[in-house]
């Protein structure tokens, strides 16, 4: 009855669902095209909100570590490319923000609901497994 509100994140080791989403600059990101890289997906409820801003700024502040480890980071929520672009520019995020307008990708990753639930997934280099951390896991742990 309340699965939309309380669904559990994907279990660790689950095959990461493929997706294709537009980003804030008009490009398209497809998970299968990122094989060979470690990918971090940060599902978050809203652009320019205190909790989401703090979480994404932590990834920004650890960007050199992410790059050194070959980790690709993407923020994901249903807001528009224009909203994402303003948010990204304001806080100087070096990573793309993906537009999941219908929350279809959030649903694949069990991060959807009345609002997107803050959920972080680290997907291995073969895109064959997903580890997860609900809420705001420590960035250092997510980057591995």
């Amino acid at each position: 009855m309340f699965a939309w509100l309380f669904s559990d994140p994907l279990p660790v080791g689950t095959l990461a669902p493929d997706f294709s989403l537009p980003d804030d600059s008009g490009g398209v990101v497809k998970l299968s095209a990122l094989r060979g890289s470690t990918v971090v997906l940060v599902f978050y409820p809203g652009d320019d909100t205190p909790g989401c801003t703090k979480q994404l700024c932590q990834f920004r502040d650890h960007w050199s570590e992410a790059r050194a480890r070959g980790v690709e980071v993407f923020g994901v929520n249903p807001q528009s490319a224009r909203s994402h672009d303003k948010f990204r520019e304001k806080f100087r995020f070096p990573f793309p923000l993906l537009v999941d307008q219908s929350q279809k990708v959030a649903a694949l990753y069990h991060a959807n609901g009345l609002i997107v639930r803050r959920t972080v997934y680290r997907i291995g280099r073969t895109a064959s497994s997903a580890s997860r951390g609900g809420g705001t896991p420590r960035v250092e742990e997510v980057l591995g």
Side-chain angles (χ1 to χ4, degrees), residues 1-141:
M1 178 173 175
F2 292 106
W4 62 272
L5 185 59
F6 298 111
S7 66
D8 292 327
L10 295 175
V12 172
T14 300
L15 181 65
D18 195 20
F19 64 84
S20 179
L21 286 175
D23 67 21
D24 57 290
S25 63
V28 175
V29 174
K30 187 170 177 70
L31 181 62
S32 60
L34 297 168
R35 285 202 177 103
S37 297
T38 298
V39 175
V40 171
L41 300 177
V42 182
F43 290 92
Y44 66 101
D47 291 343
D48 214 357
T49 58
C52 300
T53 298
K54 180 179 177 183
Q55 183 176 29
L56 292 174
C57 283
Q58 290 173 351
F59 281 96
R60 178 202 62 202
D61 296 345
H62 287 85
W63 188 243
S64 60
E65 182 182 344
R67 298 313 308 148
R69 294 174 185 248
V71 176
E72 301 286 341
V73 177
F74 300 93
V76 186
N77 90 7
Q79 289 181 268
S80 70
R82 180 181 167 132
S83 175
H84 284 350
D85 185 53
K86 286 182 186 179
F87 181 45
R88 185 176 177 199
E89 189 173 309
K90 180 177 179 180
F91 291 98
R92 300 180 186 206
F93 298 134
F95 47 85
L97 302 179
L98 307 182
V99 179
D100 185 18
Q101 192 168 26
S102 62
Q103 291 193 45
K104 287 183 181 179
V105 174
L108 291 172
Y109 284 84
H110 299 192
N112 65 317
L114 187 56
I115 61 169
V116 172
R117 290 182 317 155
R118 198 172 302 143
T119 309
V120 178
Y121 286 95
R122 184 174 193 268
I123 301 167
R125 294 182 185 279
T126 62
S128 62
S129 64
S131 63
R132 51 115 176 123
T136 56
R138 292 186 56 218
V139 171
E140 299 86 351
E141 293 172 8

